[in-house]
Structures are given as structure tokens and as C-alpha cells.
Amino acid sequence: MSPTVPVRFKVDEDLPAEVALLLTAAGHDAVTVFRQSMHGWPDDQLWPAVASEGRSLITADVGFADARRLAGTDGVGIVLLRSWPESRQGYIQLVSNFIASFQLDGVAGCIVSVTPEAIRVHDTRK
């Protein structure tokens, strides 16, 4: 599925760098927290920086599942990957499936939970 609108993503430090490569290959703008020297930042510092860049965060950190994080942000969202068991290859597969089956510009304003079984969208704008 080709993107209708390229989405800007920040890939959290808990995910392999290949996640950013997959998103970029699909036509999106993806950078890692490592590339921008943000690794090790506490969540309460990382999220405002990510949102101020107009990027949606893709992470495996369940601490970002709180919808209140999206309050006051515009055009950004959070993609939460849940792989069982957690593995590098599991995350890569989840992102490949996500790109193939979800219109990524639909992430804005949402927390999107991606598991091997389903993609669930919690739209915080409602």
C-alpha cells in the first residue's frame, strides 16, 4: 500500500534501526532517537521533543499508551508495537505488516496498537 501522505516518524530506542529503514522505504520520513542523540531520555522529555518535530512516535514502550500524551498536539500519534515474545525480528515483522495493511496517515491523533493478531486504533480526537 503506497502512502497518500508521507508521515514523519521517530523510532524509539527500544526498536531495531530496521524499523526506520522500512518506514523510509515505504515513502515516509523516519529517524531514530539514536540518530538524534535522544537515547536515554526520560519519556517526559522525549515525547515533547518528538511532538514538537511533528513526528509520530513508534515504540514498544507501554508507558506511551496514555492518551493524555496526545493532548495539545496536532497531527501526531503514537504507534505501540506489541510482539510476543519480544524480538528484533518480531518487531520488524510487525512493522512490515503494519505498513502493508494500514494507511499510516491515519496515525495522527491516535494511539495505534499493533500486535501479531490485530491493529487497534484509539482515536483521541473523539
Side-chain angles (χ1 to χ4, degrees), residues 50-73:
V50 171
S52 73
E53 291 178 24
R55 294 187 180 275
S56 292
L57 181 67
I58 186 163
T59 185
D61 183 345
V62 294
F64 285 102
D66 186 343
R68 292 174 290 183
R69 289 195 185 276
L70 293 174
T73 62

Side-chain angles (χ1 to χ4, degrees), residues 22-123:
L22 288 168
L23 291 164
T24 300
H28 301 286
D29 175 359
V31 296
T32 67
V33 296
F34 282 107
R35 187 169 134 198
Q36 293 185 308
S37 300
M38 296 173 145
H39 54 282
W41 285 23
D43 293 355
D44 62 346
Q45 281 185 291
L46 180 63
W47 174 247
V50 171
S52 73
E53 291 178 24
R55 294 187 180 275
S56 292
L57 181 67
I58 186 163
T59 185
D61 183 345
V62 294
F64 285 102
D66 186 343
R68 292 174 290 183
R69 289 195 185 276
L70 293 174
T73 62
D74 187 35
V76 299
I78 298 169
V79 178
L80 182 62
L81 302 179
R82 307 303 301 150
S83 177
W84 303 283
E86 291 185 67
S87 71
R88 181 174 168 267
Q89 191 57 42
Y91 289 129
I92 292 168
Q93 187 62 53
L94 279 179
V95 171
S96 294
N97 293 345
F98 180 55
I99 291 168
S101 62
F102 190 83
Q103 196 66 38
L104 273 62
D105 57 357
V107 168
C110 300
I111 296 177
V112 181
S113 177
V114 182
T115 68
E117 296 81 24
I119 298 173
R120 294 176 183 84
V121 180
H122 173 68
D123 190 338

